[in-house]
Amino acid sequence: MGVCDPLKLTVQADTWAELMEDIGQTLDLMLKDLLKSNELERFLRDHGWKMVGGAPSVAGRDVRFDVPFIPALMRPPRGSQRSTH
């Protein structure tokens, strides 16, 4: 299971490889939704980030967000599942 507290996202998969792929897909879909609803710039600003070069146009193009992330294994509380943060 992967947990991102700042973005309030949790992703679960059967294998490590699937989890890494699913995290990337989840981030891509979340950012696409924010772009389509014209909320991306506000979302980035609210999280202390800024867009460089302006927002991509969604008209007639397939936009792909490739967000780098560094997984960190967290020690689970007693009786809990191990998770990646």
Side-chain angles (χ1 to χ4, degrees):
M1 175 174 16
V3 178
C4 180
D5 293 326
L7 299 181
K8 297 177 178 60
L9 294 175
T10 300
V11 178
Q12 201 164 359
D14 292 330
T15 67
W16 178 260
E18 289 173 354
L19 180 61
M20 295 300 102
E21 184 176 335
D22 290 351
I23 289 171
Q25 290 175 349
T26 299
L27 291 169
D28 178 52
L29 290 171
M30 180 194 73
L31 294 170
K32 281 180 183 177
D33 285 344
L34 289 165
L35 178 64
K36 288 177 184 175
S37 64
N38 292 319
E39 298 176 62
L40 181 59
E41 288 189 67
R42 185 177 61 100
F43 172 83
L44 295 174
R45 189 173 48 254
D46 289 349
H47 286 85
W49 303 322
K50 66 179 177 176
M51 191 175 313
V52 177
S57 169
V58 293
R61 291 190 354 193
D62 187 27
V63 175
R64 168 99 172 110
F65 290 93
D66 189 12
V67 181
F69 59 91
I70 300 171
L73 290 177
M74 305 301 287
R75 183 175 300 232
R78 197 172 290 207
S80 296
Q81 208 176 8
R82 172 174 269 186
S83 61
T84 301
H85 286 251

